[in-house]
DNA sequence: GACGCGTGGCT
DNA sequence: TAGCCAAGCGT
């Protein structure tokens, strides 16, 4: 039987190679007794769900500067938080972020719970995030299993079982390797390993501190792991967006319902996105169709969005939506697909 | 367990 | 280019 990799070898590597991230307390500081702020750990983990470090950084800085504590965030207006999240994607996270901040403030006196099971009851916190907060913020001996750890475990154990079926087994593997001490550093170390060495493509096995005990390295199968179930291909859907500009420069927008795609975000009035939309315009006007269409790809479909524009007089009342005054309107408050439509309309 | 849910970078 | 992928969660 091959020896299991040692947590201490990975921690030694992490002590030398830990990335410098805005939400991270470096290993030397942690060893010197500096404790992470659970609020910042939580905020970073929510933002990092299915989202790259590069994309998260500026949002994390903006959120923590504007709302330095969970109580500040709990007291924020919904529309301010949604606008600040615009562009980061998966907008249910922003709605749950606010819900969670308000629960922590009202039910936990503004202090994050430190145990996995209580964390798991909070909005937006699932198995991974509960384990991540418990370990990183509180050094509890919990095992994190994210996409990085899944890949590392598939390779260490050369397990070709396809995900997500393999998930429970991979969690068992990961739990076997989790140490009792320095669990916060360990959790970050194994994820750093996956992000920088044990990468999906072209893994840098020559630099890996666990290479000597990696079954996939021995078998030469690292690059083809983990196996995954086949994905469905994305259909193309079609839609229409109405961009009405009042003569004073105000834009006609609507707040989307909380549930569903882009829930809670601002958007242009228009059609549902399906086969052949033909919705009534949100306001009576001389509508002109732009030559170009906005193209955007969501998680599960491609969208081709026809953009219609109109200039309307001050006294014209809309049937749907609300005019947003020129001073109140910020392009960056919109989700990306709505920005694309705006960019087309404001140029053309 | 399967599906809905964003976005941008990389190959 | 078109698909793959990223510190997943809620239903």
């Amino acid at each position: 039987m091959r020896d299991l990799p040692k947590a201490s070898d990975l921690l030694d590597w992490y002590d030398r190679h830990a990335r410098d991230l805005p939400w991270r307390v470096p290993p030397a500081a942690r060893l010197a007794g500096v404790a992470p702020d659970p609020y910042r750990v939580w905020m970073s983990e929510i933002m990092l769900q299915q989202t790259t470090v590069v994309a998260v950084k500026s949002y994390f800085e903006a959120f923590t500067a504007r709302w330095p504590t969970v109580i500040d965030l709990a007291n924020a207006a919904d529309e301010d938080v949604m606008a600040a999240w615009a562009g980061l994607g998966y907008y249910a996270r922003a709605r749950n972020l606010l819900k969670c901040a308000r629960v922590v403030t009202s039910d936990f006196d503004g202090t994050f719970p430190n145990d996995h099971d209580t964390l798991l009851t909070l909005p937006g916190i699932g198995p991974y995030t509960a384990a991540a907060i418990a370990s990183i913020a509180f050094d509890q001996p919990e095992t994190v299993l994210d996409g990085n750890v899944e890949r590392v475990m598939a390779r260490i154990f050369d397990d070709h079982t396809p995900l997500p079926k393999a998930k429970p087994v991979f969690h068992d593997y990961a739990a076997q390797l989790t140490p009792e001490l320095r669990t916060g550093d360990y959790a970050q170390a194994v994820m750093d390993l996956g992000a920088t060495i044990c990468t999906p493509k072209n893994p840098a096995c020559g630099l890996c501190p666990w290479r000597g005990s990696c079954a996939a390295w021995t078998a030469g199968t690292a690059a083809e792991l983990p196996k995954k179930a086949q994905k469905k291909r994305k259909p193309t859907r079609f839609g229409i967006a109405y961009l009405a500009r009042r003569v004073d420069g105000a834009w006609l927008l609507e707040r989307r319902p909380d549930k569903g795609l882009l829930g809670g975000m601002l958007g242009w009035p228009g059609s549902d996105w399906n086969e052949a939309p033909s919705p009534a315009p949100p306001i009576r006007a001389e509508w002109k169709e732009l030559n170009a269409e906005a193209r955007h790809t969501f998680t599960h479909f491609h969208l081709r969005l026809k953009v219609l524009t109109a200039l309307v007089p001050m006294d014209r009342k809309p049937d749907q939506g609300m005019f947003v005054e020129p001073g109140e309107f910020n392009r960056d408050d919109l989700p990306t697909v709505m920005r694309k439509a705006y960019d087309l309309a404001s140029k053309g």
Side-chain angles (χ1 to χ4, degrees):
Chain A
M1 187 65 182
R2 186 175 44 83
D3 287 340
L4 290 179
K6 290 189 176 64
S8 56
D9 289 336
L10 185 60
L11 283 164
D12 288 344
W13 171 82
Y14 182 71
D15 287 340
R16 286 177 280 117
H17 298 289
R19 290 178 292 172
D20 188 20
L21 302 172
W23 47 85
R24 174 173 287 175
V25 175
R30 285 185 77 112
L31 287 166
V34 178
D37 178 355
Y39 171 67
R40 293 168 65 86
V41 173
W42 164 73
M43 177 78 74
S44 68
E45 290 301 339
I46 301 299
M47 289 183 168
L48 286 163
Q49 288 167 5
Q50 298 289 285
T51 308
T52 57
V53 164
V54 172
V56 163
K57 273 185 179 170
S58 64
Y59 285 85
F60 177 83
E61 303 281 20
F63 269 70
T64 51
R66 184 168 177 183
W67 301 293
T69 72
V70 68
I71 297 173
D72 296 321
L73 183 60
N75 291 329
D78 292 38
E79 58 269 29
D80 288 343
V81 173
M82 299 312 289
W85 196 277
L88 195 55
Y90 284 136
Y91 297 98
R93 293 184 296 170
R95 301 194 300 275
N96 285 328
L97 187 83
L98 249 181
K99 279 189 201 166
C100 183
R102 288 170 180 163
V103 171
V104 169
T105 297
S106 61
D107 297 1
F108 295 90
D109 206 26
T111 304
F112 273 88
N114 64 3
D115 67 289
H116 175 277
D117 290 355
T118 311
L119 287 163
L120 197 52
T121 68
L122 296 171
I125 297 183
Y128 162 76
T129 306
I133 297 172
S135 59
I136 297 171
F138 300 110
D139 269 324
Q140 303 275 347
E142 298 291 342
T143 299
V144 295
L145 186 68
D146 72 332
N148 289 306
V149 182
E150 287 170 357
R151 187 168 57 255
V152 172
M153 294 306 134
R155 290 172 177 173
I156 291 290
F157 293 90
D158 194 31
D159 191 325
H160 292 239
T161 312
L163 287 165
K165 183 181 190 302
K167 215 165 170 158
V169 184
F170 287 7
H171 188 277
D172 289 344
Y173 294 156
Q176 282 184 53
L177 304 184
T178 304
E180 292 293 320
L181 298 176
R182 294 191 67 187
T183 54
D185 278 341
Y186 175 82
Q188 294 175 91
V190 66
M191 290 190 285
D192 267 23
L193 185 75
T196 64
I197 304 285
C198 195
T199 49
K201 292 176 181 175
N202 307 315
C205 298
L207 300 176
C208 181
W210 274 355
R211 180 186 52 190
S213 46
C214 180
W217 164 252
T218 305
T221 53
E224 64 190 69
L225 294 172
K227 299 290 188 190
K228 297 198 174 182
Q230 227 173 6
K231 299 190 174 151
K232 295 194 306 187
R233 65 176 280 280
K234 300 182 204 297
T236 298
R237 297 185 189 171
F238 299 85
I240 295 172
Y242 288 102
L243 275 68
R245 187 166 176 269
R246 212 168 53 189
V247 291
D248 67 340
W251 288 99
L252 183 60
L253 285 157
E254 65 180 11
R255 177 74 59 185
R256 299 173 63 88
D258 270 347
K259 289 191 187 299
L261 190 68
L262 308 179
M265 299 299 291
L266 286 175
W268 307 110
S271 67
D272 291 338
W273 296 336
N274 48 44
E275 285 306 312
S278 54
I283 189 169
R284 186 166 52 83
E286 190 96 351
W287 289 99
K288 291 177 188 165
E289 182 179 337
L290 295 184
N291 287 326
E293 60 184 4
R295 294 194 179 206
H296 190 73
T297 298
F298 293 98
T299 312
H300 52 297
F301 65 94
H302 304 289
L303 176 66
R304 294 169 60 167
L305 190 62
K306 191 182 296 184
V307 179
L308 280 73
T309 62
L311 192 61
V312 302
M314 288 302 292
D315 56 358
R316 188 75 54 86
K317 298 300 175 212
D319 300 319
Q320 307 165 37
M322 65 230 169
F323 278 105
V324 178
E325 307 294 329
E328 299 291 313
F329 174 76
N330 293 303
R331 169 192 176 279
D332 291 347
D333 292 354
L334 303 174
T336 299
V337 62
M338 302 298 174
R339 291 180 190 175
K340 288 182 180 176
Y342 171 78
D343 289 345
L344 287 175
S346 60
K347 270 186 223 138

